[in-house]
Amino acid sequence: MEKEPKYRRDPGYSKASVPSTGATAARRAARGHGAAGSSERASAPAAPAGPPPVSFDLNDFKGAFSFDEFFNTLAGEFLPAIPADDGLPSSDPSAGPIGFPEAEALLPRFRECRRELLELNRRVDDRLERLRKDVAAQDSEHKETLGKLERGVEGLFDSFGRLDARISGVGQTAARIGDHLQSADAQRETASNIMELIKYLMDFNRSRGESVQFLPLAAVFLDEKEMGRAAAFAMKLRALAEEDEDAREMVPGEGRKGGPSASPGLEVAVDNLHEYCNDLENKLLQKFDAASAKKDLKSMADCAKTLEQFQQGSRAIHRYVTTRPMFMDVEKMRNDIRIATGETGSSIANVIGPVNPTRGLSNLYKQIFDTMEEEQQTVEQVFPNPKAVMSILTQRVLEQRVHNVLIEILKTPNIDNPPPLKQGGLLTYLRTLALSYEKTVDLSRRLQDLGCGDLDIQGTVEGIFAEHKDKYLEVEQRSLMQQFEEKCESEYQQQQAAAGPGLDPASAAAAAGVAGSPGNLVRQRTTPSLLPPGAGGIGVVADCVQWNKEAIERCRVLVPEPALLVESVTVIFNVLLDQMGEYTLSALETASKALAEAAALRDKFSIGTAVSRRVAQAAAAAAEQAALAGEQSIRTFFIAVKRATATVSTVQQYFQGTISELLMAVDGAHGKCVEEMTRKLGEAEAVVLRGMQVCIDTSVGEVERLLAAEQKPTEFRPPEDGTLPDHRPTTACIKVKAYLERIVDAAQTALEGPNRHAFLLELGVRLHKALLAHIQRFSFNPGGGLRLKRDVSEYADSIRSFKTPTVDELFESLSSLVNLFIVAPDSLRTLVDSSHLSHKDALIYIQLRDDYKSARIAQQFTR
């Protein structure tokens, strides 16, 4: 059997420690222990006591309820005390079975407790049911009351709506009555005014020919304190009288000059009112002038307000504007010019040379703006319509004060006879124009922000500069050409100075590596000749680009309209294209002419063999000089090509960085400009191609001359006496190789990209042909073949610096061809069959062997 656990009572549970409702309920359940119980225990002490009655009340379960406390109070006194050990059941078998003897006492108590709790639950349910019924009854009553209230509120809203409608109707009626009353009052007042005006009108229509001063006018027209009212009445009367006269003129037989049937009208009143208004306006203007002299702004404002009724105060505005000191003081006007030109003296006639208005114009415009700020404050206080006054005042400032200064600092130059560049040339005028325009536009914007009414201030500024802007583009082009010509002339002078005394321009150019006369080019074609190396030829291009860039910046300032700007930019850029095209073409043509002259000189001293030894020596010396001139002309041409390439690259970079973006504003402008640039700069390409061909002809011709002059027949037919063969290259080969190295070095230094590749390829092919022709002029024995083999090896070594695979293959085949002069006669057939040569082509060179006939070599190729 399983042993029952031995329970112990928790010492923490005690009657003194149970204050909650659970303990109270338990104590109520224990109240059954009374006298009967005591007597039973006295009479039968050994018998167990019966279960006490249990009784619960709803109040025992209100508030915080703890089941543990409830249980401890209910059954705590029946539970045994908990031992002091660890509370675990004993493992000693001799202790006997473990039981729970208190269960017998607790079961009846728990049953009674359960019965009481069920009874209490029933009572709670009954009570909840009664509460539910009461709540339902009260809810029904509340809904009925709420419905009555809602019906009452709806009735109240209907009453409010009817009341609001009545109030609205009464208000509208009152408003209509008020409108009728106001209209009636206005009509009454209008009628009263009309009657008053008719009375005044009749006063002015009394007699013709009398002065207004003698008419019996109302006091309002005679009192100077009532000038404002008088002006208002006079203008109304004048309008009425003129309207009546105009209406009468539309009726036949009526009018101022009608016939006998014409009825009298208001023509007398019209004349008198005109006279009165003029007199009154003149008095007000005099009063305005007197107040202006005293700077009495209040009186000026009163007069201006009254004068506003006469032609909107135009005469007062005109009088105010024209009397400003900046328009009347001659000394102040002269001082404006002195400030703008930077002259501190008393007379502007002392200004000598080009004017630099950078600081002076800024100072002057600052003074003008400060003055206008002061005037704006005055105008705001004086005139009823200050914007109209500021509009006229601003226009007068720009057209008179600013324009007079600009006339002095912007003297339109004569482009046919411009001032020298040392005195500023056309460039100073253009810079002054751009600066003046930019600062004037800035001033106009500030004045516009200050307030100038409906004035087209930008149009006013454009009108001031219209004459200068009309001629701007033409002056800009002429200025660019003037700077270019001056630069070319300066470079030519430096070239002459570098050449030294005793040399004419042609000799100086030749000494510097240039052909032709740069002076003639500057004066006749306005383009320079090719400058010597390091003399600043690229500097001319850089200067021209910089001048053009400056001109483009001026153009952007002076021509803000996109379409006109694109057109102007294209024109200015075309000037650069013309300059660079002519500059490059002139340099290339000069170098090409030097090449042609060197070639003609070389041909001149090419003589035959049937001459005396003395003549031959003289011709050889002259030919050597011609060769030096030819080599120098090739170097000069290469420099020209290099500079032409650099020029094109510089212009293209400038176009991409500056011009291209500006041309995008107009469709098609960019493409047209690119085409024009390609056409103008491409004209030099044909000259380059012709010149490079002449360079190749000159180089190959010099190689042929060296071979013909230096190559000896005995070098390829050395004596076969058993001596060791000479494996050194021949003298002709050494000189040709040295010459080629100089030419190739110059070409690789000066030429780039396709130009270098095309030149070296063509030169290599032509050299190969020249060597083949040179070989066919000699006969060879095996020792001579070896000597030729060495020469060809040297040539091939020089050719490898060309870095052209096609030419390398040609010289490899040439090296193989030389083997025909070296191998034994019996091996020729095998050698030819293994090569790319046909028998026919091979025989051309095999016949050059000195043993061709003796060894009967021809028979090997006829079998």
Side-chain angles (χ1 to χ4, degrees):
M1 274 183 73
E2 183 180 358
K3 294 182 180 181
E4 295 181 0
K6 183 178 181 179
Y7 294 93
R8 62 181 179 177
R9 184 178 179 184
D10 190 350
Y13 288 107
S14 64
K15 294 181 180 180
S17 64
V18 183
S20 65
T21 56
T24 304
R27 283 194 296 272
R28 286 180 177 274
R31 287 173 185 171
H33 295 277
S38 301
S39 62
E40 288 179 359
R41 287 195 300 271
S43 61
V54 178
S55 176
F56 294 114
D57 192 284
L58 288 177
N59 293 327
D60 298 335
F61 294 92
K62 291 182 178 180
F65 179 78
S66 174
F67 179 78
D68 292 339
E69 295 175 357
F70 171 75
F71 182 81
N72 185 52
T73 306
L74 186 67
E77 63 186 70
F78 296 96
L79 297 176
I82 298 175
D85 58 4
D86 55 1
L88 297 175
S90 177
S91 59
D92 187 3
S94 62
I98 300 173
F100 185 34
E102 293 84 0
E104 295 296 333
L106 290 174
L107 284 176
R109 190 173 184 83
F110 287 163
R111 289 192 187 101
E112 183 67 16
C113 181
R114 180 175 178 275
R115 183 184 63 77
E116 289 295 325
L117 289 174
L118 289 175
E119 179 62 22
L120 183 62
N121 183 57
R122 185 188 63 77
R123 291 199 300 269
V124 170
D125 289 341
D126 292 342
R127 188 175 179 180
L128 288 175
E129 181 64 20
R130 288 194 300 272
L131 290 173
R132 185 186 65 77
K133 291 180 179 179
D134 292 344
V135 169
Q138 291 180 6
D139 183 63
S140 176
E141 183 180 357
H142 174 72
K143 288 182 179 179
E144 183 178 357
T145 304
L146 184 62
K148 293 179 181 180
L149 289 175
E150 288 179 352
R151 289 190 295 273
V153 170
E154 289 178 357
L156 186 61
F157 279 149
D158 292 340
S159 299
F160 281 146
R162 291 191 297 273
L163 179 61
D164 183 67
R166 291 194 63 184
I167 292 174
S168 177
V170 171
Q172 292 177 1
T173 302
R176 287 195 297 271
I177 294 173
D179 291 341
H180 288 312
L181 291 175
Q182 185 176 7
S183 175
D185 185 67
Q187 292 176 1
R188 181 186 63 79
E189 185 177 358
T190 301
S192 175
N193 292 336
I194 291 175
M195 292 176 62
E196 188 176 15
L197 289 175
I198 291 174
K199 177 179 177 300
Y200 294 156
L201 185 61
M202 297 309 297
D203 290 342
F204 280 100
N205 199 40
R206 288 194 175 183
S207 66
R208 182 192 300 272
E210 294 185 13
S211 175
V212 178
Q213 299 176 358
F214 301 104
L215 291 177
L217 300 177
V220 69
F221 296 102
L222 303 177
D223 190 356
E224 291 187 359
K225 296 181 180 180
E226 298 289 341
M227 284 186 177
R229 291 183 60 204
F233 283 133
M235 293 306 296
K236 289 180 181 179
L237 294 174
R238 181 175 170 180
L240 288 172
E242 290 177 349
E243 183 178 355
D244 178 76
E245 288 302 300
D246 292 340
R248 288 169 60 84
E249 289 179 359
M250 301 295 294
V251 179
E254 298 290 338
R256 297 173 65 93
K257 302 296 181 180
S261 61
S263 59
L266 299 177
E267 62 271 12
V268 176
V270 171
D271 294 338
N272 290 335
L273 283 169
H274 271 287
E275 182 181 353
Y276 177 79
C277 289
N278 289 335
D279 292 343
L280 181 59
E281 187 176 12
N282 291 332
K283 290 179 181 179
L284 288 169
L285 287 173
Q286 292 174 2
K287 188 176 181 181
F288 181 84
D289 291 340
S292 177
K294 297 178 182 179
K295 296 184 179 181
D296 185 357
L297 299 183
K298 185 178 183 306
S299 299
M300 290 174 65
D302 294 339
C303 295
K305 183 178 179 180
T306 304
L307 287 167
E308 182 73 15
Q309 302 181 63
F310 298 101
Q311 302 176 3
Q312 296 181 347
S314 59
R315 290 185 64 187
I317 295 174
H318 177 74
R319 183 74 64 90
Y320 177 81
V321 172
T322 54
T323 56
R324 295 304 87 199
M326 57 180 146
F327 304 132
M328 298 180 64
D329 191 345
V330 177
E331 184 59 30
K332 191 172 186 62
M333 298 178 188
R334 291 177 178 174
N335 188 52
D336 287 347
I337 298 173
R338 284 195 292 267
I339 294 174
T341 57
E343 173 63 24
T344 58
S346 59
S347 175
I348 61 173
N350 296 328
V351 180
I352 301 175
V355 176
N356 183 8
T358 303
R359 180 176 299 178
L361 205 58
S362 299
N363 295 335
L364 175 62
Y365 284 174
K366 183 179 183 304
Q367 290 186 10
I368 291 177
F369 183 75
D370 293 342
T371 303
M372 290 297 291
E373 277 189 321
E374 296 175 0
E375 292 292 344
Q376 192 264 348
Q377 295 175 3
T378 302
V379 168
E380 288 283 350
Q381 299 179 48
V382 171
F383 290 95
N385 187 10
K387 291 184 178 180
V389 182
M390 289 302 297
S391 174
I392 297 174
L393 183 60
T394 302
Q395 184 176 7
R396 185 70 177 270
V397 166
L398 292 174
E399 292 181 349
Q400 180 174 332
R401 190 173 181 185
V402 173
H403 194 199
N404 289 342
V405 172
L406 293 177
I407 289 175
E408 292 296 328
I409 66 176
L410 288 176
K411 302 291 186 180
T412 304
N414 183 3
I415 60 175
D416 295 328
N417 186 23
L421 200 59
K422 293 180 180 180
Q423 298 180 8
L426 298 174
L427 184 60
T428 297
Y429 164 76
L430 291 171
R431 287 174 175 172
T432 304
L433 173 63
L435 178 67
S436 302
Y437 180 80
E438 188 174 18
K439 290 189 175 297
T440 304
V441 170
D442 180 66
L443 173 64
S444 67
R445 290 172 180 166
R446 296 175 64 193
L447 292 176
Q448 190 170 23
D449 294 339
L450 190 62
C452 57
D454 298 331
L455 175 64
D456 182 12
I457 194 166
Q458 184 62 32
T460 304
V461 173
E462 293 298 327
I464 295 173
F465 286 91
E467 180 182 357
H468 298 282
K469 293 181 71 173
D470 290 342
K471 299 179 180 180
Y472 158 69
L473 201 56
E474 186 178 0
V475 177
E476 189 72 79
Q477 296 179 74
R478 185 66 187 90
S479 173
L480 291 172
M481 292 305 300
Q482 182 187 31
Q483 295 175 81
F484 181 62
E485 293 170 5
E486 185 73 17
K487 182 68 175 181
C488 293
E489 183 68 26
S490 174
E491 295 292 344
Y492 172 62
Q493 296 295 336
Q494 293 179 12
Q495 196 176 87
Q496 281 189 321
L503 289 178
D504 60 336
S507 300
V514 181
S517 173
N520 292 335
L521 289 171
V522 172
R523 294 175 177 84
Q524 297 177 9
R525 301 179 53 187
T526 69
T527 57
S529 69
L530 182 66
L531 300 173
I538 301 301
V540 175
V541 178
D543 288 344
C544 288
V545 170
Q546 186 60 39
W547 297 329
N548 200 268
K549 183 181 294 186
E550 181 183 346
I552 292 295
E553 291 300 322
R554 277 194 297 272
C555 185
R556 296 179 67 176
V557 172
L558 294 169
V559 189
E561 299 83 1
L564 294 178
L565 176 61
V566 169
E567 181 180 350
S568 301
V569 166
T570 303
V571 171
I572 293 173
F573 182 66
N574 283 338
V575 173
L576 177 65
L577 294 180
D578 291 337
Q579 292 172 346
M580 295 300 96
E582 290 293 330
Y583 179 81
T584 303
L585 193 62
S586 172
L588 292 172
E589 288 178 346
T590 301
S592 298
K593 183 178 179 181
L595 284 172
E597 292 175 352
L601 190 62
R602 185 187 66 249
D603 294 338
K604 179 179 180 181
F605 294 107
S606 297
I607 59 175
T609 56
V611 294
S612 64
R613 183 176 180 180
R614 181 178 178 182
V615 173
Q617 289 178 349
E624 188 69 26
Q625 292 298 322
L628 292 175
E631 183 176 347
Q632 183 62 45
S633 65
I634 292 175
R635 291 177 177 274
T636 301
F637 182 78
F638 285 162
I639 294 174
V641 174
K642 181 178 182 179
R643 289 182 176 165
T645 304
T647 298
V648 173
S649 176
T650 301
V651 173
Q652 289 176 342
Q653 291 177 4
Y654 169 62
F655 176 80
Q656 293 296 333
T658 303
I659 305 299
S660 179
E661 182 180 357
L662 298 175
L663 299 181
M664 293 298 182
V666 176
D667 293 337
H670 184 274
K672 292 180 180 178
C673 191
V674 170
E675 292 178 1
E676 184 68 13
M677 179 173 61
T678 303
R679 184 186 67 81
K680 289 185 177 181
L681 296 180
E683 292 177 355
E685 184 176 359
V687 179
V688 171
L689 294 177
R690 290 196 302 269
M692 290 178 66
Q693 188 61 48
V694 175
C695 288
I696 293 173
D697 294 341
T698 301
S699 300
V700 174
E702 177 60 16
V703 168
E704 292 175 344
R705 187 192 71 80
L706 289 173
L707 291 173
E710 302 296 336
Q711 199 80 68
K712 303 298 187 292
T714 57
E715 292 175 335
F716 299 133
R717 295 183 65 187
E720 299 179 353
D721 54 1
T723 58
L724 292 175
D726 189 355
H727 296 289
R728 295 175 301 174
T730 63
T731 303
C733 175
I734 292 173
K735 291 187 176 183
V736 168
K737 182 179 179 181
Y739 175 77
L740 288 176
E741 288 177 350
R742 293 195 300 272
I743 296 299
V744 171
D745 180 67
Q748 291 182 339
T749 301
L751 303 181
E752 297 178 356
N755 288 335
R756 178 167 58 191
H757 177 76
F759 175 80
L760 295 177
L761 176 61
E762 181 66 18
L763 178 61
V765 173
R766 291 282 302 276
L767 287 174
H768 178 262
K769 292 180 180 180
L771 289 174
L772 287 177
H774 175 68
I775 291 173
Q776 294 180 34
R777 292 199 290 267
F778 299 91
S779 61
F780 303 86
N781 61 15
L786 290 173
R787 194 77 183 273
L788 179 61
K789 182 80 170 181
R790 177 58 188 274
D791 285 356
V792 172
S793 176
E794 292 293 325
Y795 296 142
D797 183 60
S798 296
I799 293 301
R800 287 190 192 94
S801 62
F802 289 16
K803 297 180 181 179
T804 308
T806 302
V807 177
D808 292 341
E809 292 177 1
L810 290 177
F811 276 83
E812 287 177 4
S813 65
L814 180 61
S815 181
S816 300
L817 178 65
V818 176
N819 292 332
L820 296 175
F821 306 131
I822 300 173
V823 301
D826 296 338
S827 303
L828 283 173
R829 179 65 181 266
T830 304
L831 179 62
V832 172
D833 291 341
S834 62
S835 68
H836 63 280
L837 293 173
S838 65
H839 288 186
K840 181 178 179 181
D841 293 337
L843 280 174
I844 296 175
Y845 298 98
I846 292 174
Q847 292 175 5
L848 300 177
R849 291 173 61 107
D850 61 352
D851 59 352
Y852 176 74
K853 294 181 180 180
S854 61
R856 297 181 180 181
I857 296 175
Q859 296 179 5
Q860 297 183 26
F861 296 94
T862 56
R863 290 183 234 174

